[in-house]
Amino acid sequence: MFLTVYEQEMLEGKHGKGIRMAMEVLVKMGELYGAGRLLPVKRAHIDAAAYTTIWDAGTEFIEYLADNGAKCAVPTTINPLSRDIKNWRVLGASEEFALKSKRLEDAYLKMGVIPTWTCAPYQSTNAPCFGEIVSWSESNAVNFVNSVLGARAERLPDMVDVCCAVTGRVPAYGRYLDENRKGDVLFRLEGFDDTWFRDSVDFAILGYYIGEIVVNKVPVIEGLPKRTMPDDFKALSAAAASGGAVALFHAVGLTPEAPTIEAAFQETSDYAVHIVTPADLEAMEKRLNTASDDKVDMVLMGCPHLSANEIAEVAGLMRGKKVCEGTQFWIMTCETQYNLAVRSGDAQILEEAGVVITKDTCLMEMDEGDRRWEGQNFVTNSGKAAQYTPAINGVKIHMAGTAGCVRAAVEGRYSGEVRR
Amino acid sequence: MRITEYTVVVEGCADAEALVSDTSLSFWGGVNASTGMIQDVHHSLNGQNLKGKILCVPYDRGSCSSSGVMLEMIRQGTNPAGILCIEAEPVLALGPIIGEKMYKRGIAMRTVSEETFRSIPENCRIQFAEDAIVVQ
């Protein structure tokens, strides 16, 4: 693998033991994946922030880097933590658990991260430009910046994301290379009337469906409406990276590398075509709906973190209503979006209605095996949460759109017809 | 069956009962790091324990945090003895590679062609030998 003089110095330890460790990991990875060289990056996003994603072993690794002089070489944002920094006690974390999170937070602050603690950095502080090479992690965020913004990113593993941020380098492999950004399978949407794709939950179900089929290939989607919004693409990105391992998709006429089908497939024509019908998505939704009764213990929105725009939409529907006794309604976001919602008055509307708005964290990352929600029924609009909360938290799922989520929270029960 | 066409992703030999699925797996959210138990309710291996076994899944999927879960499994000794797949993307391979640097032990990992992978029976024992993969 070719290394510049500066990269060679980093590898030899001239810039400290932390940087040396990070470079050793990147060189090993680059050699394994046939990267001829490292690419310089202008910005980074780190996934490995929550204690319950990297545990004690990951904490030791991050502390090794931080304690041995490694600092972010480029502007670097970072994912949600295992605790809400201000409200962890209220949300039920133990002192011991909060301290484990704090240990990691301190190591990252020492490295100089921008403490966004969000999984949707592209909606607040860190939105790459078209064609920009970035060091990115968090599966939904990789998919979003690659596909929707047209930046160059790959699904960097936790800890490798940190190695890249502190060296400002990433191995030249995978979706960083032109030829690997070509579409592999065309998904043609057929038979969807105008009632479809008006709520992000439809995009989530489509994303999960496509992800399961293509796993790690590049899907090209034809037939999404022009009115598709970034929040919709966020839901699709997250679900396609949960049902599968999609790092890049193209939506014809909507995403920047797919002005036409031909462009999405880089002028090749040997791709498979997969027709998607409403019946396919209805069957997909049925499989994600693991709950068998209409009880609602928790309504969960914000996977990925809600934008101020989405919070305003929920607030508009919640105005004048109250969350049903015996039901919880959690909205997950970051401090940045929350502050916007406070300025607009939407946060106050929601909190007065009994909605809990969490910052800096994620319900799935707050649970250290204590399974406090075990056996409960969750209503969510997120395909990603539908994949992970049953496994991590032992809950059952009803999928619903935004209006359906609000209605479920207010009534304390789920009725199938409220989805759209 | 004796497979001689394979690629070594992470060095190492292993000999253990295999857990075989045609569904890809996310270690984060899909596996309990402290016990090695597969907990993804949508996965065909849900409820099985990975510890000491050879996991056969086509690809990785899902979370970028799988590397963190695998590293913690290596620290706690709950990790599978080996992983056999069609493609080992960095999310699958880098936890074991960092494990070798930190704890001097990883998870042996090899890849085979899709055709070979699909021919592995559900109930079998797999040996990662020096010069072959032996399926019994």
Side-chain angles (χ1 to χ4, degrees):
Chain A
M1 186 180 197
F2 171 79
L3 294 179
T4 64
V5 172
Y6 187 69
E7 288 161 358
Q8 193 65 43
E9 280 180 17
M10 290 198 276
L11 185 63
E12 286 163 5
K14 288 191 179 149
H15 300 275
K17 278 184 351 191
I19 293 292
R20 177 187 186 152
M21 167 69 99
M23 273 304 277
E24 283 175 3
V25 170
L26 295 186
V27 169
K28 173 94 189 166
M29 175 174 157
E31 285 171 351
L32 190 57
Y33 293 93
R37 63 190 178 112
L38 297 171
L39 301 169
V41 301
K42 283 191 196 162
R43 62 175 96 211
H45 180 73
I46 291 173
D47 185 52
Y51 171 71
T52 57
T53 56
I54 61 169
W55 306 97
D56 288 346
T59 305
E60 284 172 19
F61 181 78
I62 303 305
E63 283 184 338
Y64 178 88
L65 296 184
D67 292 345
N68 286 286
K71 293 225 182 300
C72 296
V74 292
T76 301
T77 52
I78 187 160
N79 240 36
L81 297 163
S82 279
R83 66 164 185 164
D84 180 315
I85 292 173
K86 286 181 192 150
N87 291 327
W88 57 270
R89 272 179 215 279
V90 180
L91 296 172
S94 69
E95 186 95 33
E96 190 196 351
F97 185 66
L99 280 174
K100 287 178 181 171
S101 177
K102 178 136 196 331
R103 237 181 98 181
L104 258 179
E105 293 158 32
D106 289 344
Y108 280 122
L109 292 171
K110 194 167 170 180
M111 278 188 210
V113 299
I114 302 166
T116 49
W117 317 126
T118 184
C119 50
Y122 48 84
Q123 290 193 313
S124 39
T125 316
N126 207 356
C129 305
F130 180 77
E132 187 182 335
I133 294 164
V134 298
S135 149
W136 227 246
S137 189
E138 163 56 57
S139 58
N140 97 78
V142 170
N143 204 8
F144 189 98
V145 302
N146 248 342
S147 312
V148 183
L149 304 183
R152 299 284 171 117
E154 249 294 357
R155 295 173 71 238
L156 297 176
D158 280 33
M159 296 173 289
V160 173
D161 51 1
V162 185
C163 296
C164 292
V166 297
T167 56
R169 300 289 191 280
V170 71
Y173 78 111
R175 311 289 178 221
Y176 289 108
L177 311 175
D178 286 347
E179 62 268 29
N180 297 327
R181 299 181 69 83
K182 181 172 79 65
D184 294 308
V185 184
L186 179 66
F187 287 84
R188 183 172 285 146
L189 306 186
E190 281 186 11
F192 291 90
D193 65 29
D194 203 39
T195 63
W196 281 86
F197 302 111
R198 290 206 167 267
D199 188 291
S200 69
V201 72
D202 289 348
F203 292 84
I205 292 163
L206 174 67
Y208 197 101
Y209 175 84
I210 288 174
E212 267 199 340
I213 292 171
V214 299
V215 191
N216 59 3
K217 302 286 187 290
V218 179
V220 176
I221 310 167
E222 186 195 18
L224 283 175
K226 284 281 176 209
R227 58 179 146 76
T228 301
M229 295 287 282
D231 288 330
D232 299 326
F233 278 132
K234 177 172 66 174
L236 196 159
S237 296
S242 308
V246 177
L248 169 66
F249 68 87
H250 300 299
V252 179
L254 293 167
T255 60
E257 286 167 71
T260 61
I261 292 184
E262 290 74 21
F265 287 102
Q266 294 183 3
E267 311 298 331
T268 59
S269 55
D270 56 340
Y271 50 84
V273 181
H274 192 108
I275 307 294
V276 188
T277 65
D280 293 323
L281 297 198
E282 279 157 10
M284 180 73 250
E285 182 177 2
K286 217 172 245 176
R287 277 206 289 129
L288 292 173
N289 284 343
T290 47
S292 51
D293 59 278
D294 67 359
K295 178 174 66 93
V296 177
D297 300 293
M298 166 74 82
V299 177
L300 183 68
M301 297 182 78
C303 173
H305 276 175
L306 289 198
S307 64
N309 185 49
E310 290 169 299
I311 296 172
E313 196 187 341
V314 182
L317 293 164
M318 258 333 268
R319 187 187 288 273
K321 298 185 180 124
K322 285 259 182 268
V323 175
C324 180
E325 215 179 302
T327 298
Q328 292 197 70
F329 186 177
W330 281 28
I331 283 178
M332 305 187 290
T333 190
C334 61
E335 190 75 37
T336 311
Q337 302 290 339
Y338 178 74
N339 286 336
L340 296 172
V342 168
R343 287 182 168 188
S344 65
D346 293 310
Q348 294 87 327
I349 292 171
L350 291 167
E351 285 167 346
E352 279 162 24
V355 178
V356 173
I357 307 178
T358 69
K359 282 79 71 182
D360 326 311
T361 190
C362 167
L363 181 142
M364 287 173 268
E365 294 175 337
M366 291 166 57
D367 193 337
E368 192 196 17
D370 49 0
R371 310 268 278 190
R372 69 184 97 159
W373 293 282
E374 180 105 44
Q376 293 193 359
N377 283 350
F378 275 30
V379 175
T380 186
N381 62 342
S382 163
K384 182 172 183 175
Q387 164 64 22
Y388 292 120
T389 54
I392 296 172
N393 312 103
V395 305
K396 295 192 165 163
I397 295 294
H398 285 301
M399 296 293 291
T402 302
C405 282
V406 167
R407 188 159 152 196
V410 170
E411 295 177 359
R413 58 180 290 279
Y414 173 88
S415 48
E417 74 273 16
V418 302
R419 191 164 74 78
R420 272 182 223 101
Chain B
M1 180 167 48
R2 190 179 167 86
I3 303 164
T4 51
E5 282 189 24
Y6 61 88
T7 304
V8 174
V9 180
V10 183
E11 300 274 349
C13 292
D15 184 358
E17 187 193 324
L19 289 177
V20 183
S21 174
D22 58 6
T23 308
S24 302
L25 179 70
S26 173
F27 272 70
W28 184 77
V31 181
N32 183 316
S34 298
T35 62
M37 195 68 86
I38 297 175
Q39 58 182 13
D40 178 349
V41 298
H42 296 290
H43 201 277
S44 62
L45 296 173
N46 186 32
Q48 302 261 16
N49 198 310
L50 278 176
K51 182 178 174 179
K53 307 278 173 58
I54 292 186
L55 174 70
C56 303
V57 287
Y59 311 98
D60 83 292
R61 73 183 255 201
S63 173
C64 296
S65 298
S66 293
S67 57
V69 174
M70 290 165 89
L71 184 65
E72 178 67 7
M73 291 176 85
I74 292 167
R75 190 185 75 86
Q76 293 198 29
T78 56
N79 57 288
I83 295 177
L84 182 65
C85 48
I86 299 168
E87 270 176 53
E89 278 196 70
V91 167
L92 207 52
L94 264 289
I97 286 170
I98 294 173
E100 281 180 336
K101 294 188 82 65
M102 285 180 72
Y103 305 112
K104 310 286 175 234
R105 48 179 201 274
I107 300 171
M109 198 176 296
R110 297 182 182 186
T111 56
V112 291
S113 71
E114 175 152 12
E115 194 187 348
T116 304
F117 185 87
R118 305 286 176 203
S119 71
I120 296 168
E122 232 172 76
N123 296 303
C124 65
R125 194 175 175 86
I126 290 180
Q127 189 192 356
F128 285 181
E130 291 286 352
D131 56 352
I133 298 170
V134 183
V135 182
Q136 286 171 320

